[in-house]
Amino acid sequence: MARVPHKIYINRQFVGIMNQPRVAINLLPGQYELTIQSMLPWFYATRSVIIPMEGDTTVTFADREGWWDWLFGADIIISIVAIFISIPTPWNWIYQIVSNGYFIAWIIYEWSIRKRYFQFS
């Protein structure tokens, strides 16, 4: 899957856009507030990071979209197949209800995690 760029903020100041899987930032020792934000401004996560006097600090992050991506991938495949093959009437309605239902659930989920969209480790 293509990597989507993310914005990086340190102590609420914009540092740059991360479009590579790995970024190195040199900081003086201290405590910083690191924010990773998607290109959509309402999806982000913030974490306090302590930089020691010696050594490196590595922060990794991932989004919380794992199983939603699989679900939407399967839905897209079924939608494409449905263009070429007609789904019988009761099953077509069931598919539409389920597909639209988990789309609404996804929107509610996204809104509820918007301020902690990324997981840090």
Side-chain angles (χ1 to χ4, degrees):
M1 203 169 200
R3 194 132 173 96
V4 178
H6 301 297
K7 294 179 181 179
I8 300 174
Y9 294 85
I10 296 178
N11 290 341
R12 296 187 179 148
Q13 290 188 329
F14 178 69
V15 175
I17 296 176
M18 178 180 150
N19 31 352
Q20 299 294 323
R22 190 177 187 106
V23 173
I25 301 173
N26 294 323
L27 297 170
L28 296 172
Q31 184 170 346
Y32 298 92
E33 182 180 275
L34 173 66
T35 301
I36 305 295
Q37 177 185 318
S38 81
M39 294 309 277
L40 301 172
W42 51 88
F43 295 121
Y44 62 91
T46 301
R47 179 179 185 186
S48 180
V49 177
I50 297 174
I51 308 296
M53 292 295 270
E54 293 184 15
D56 294 334
T57 300
T58 302
V59 177
T60 58
F61 70 95
D63 63 30
R64 299 174 184 263
E65 294 291 307
W67 65 280
W68 289 105
D69 291 342
W70 285 99
L71 191 61
F72 281 117
D75 187 47
I76 289 170
I77 291 170
I78 294 170
S79 297
I80 292 170
V81 169
I83 292 171
F84 301 105
I85 298 171
S86 179
I87 300 173
T89 301
W91 294 107
N92 185 24
W93 291 353
I94 292 170
Y95 166 70
Q96 291 299 324
I97 291 169
V98 170
S99 178
N100 293 333
Y102 70 73
F103 181 70
I104 292 168
W106 174 74
I107 290 173
I108 293 168
Y109 172 76
E110 291 294 313
W111 184 255
S112 69
I113 68 162
R114 71 189 184 284
K115 293 183 180 180
R116 52 184 172 79
Y117 185 77
F118 298 102
Q119 300 174 13
F120 289 99
S121 60

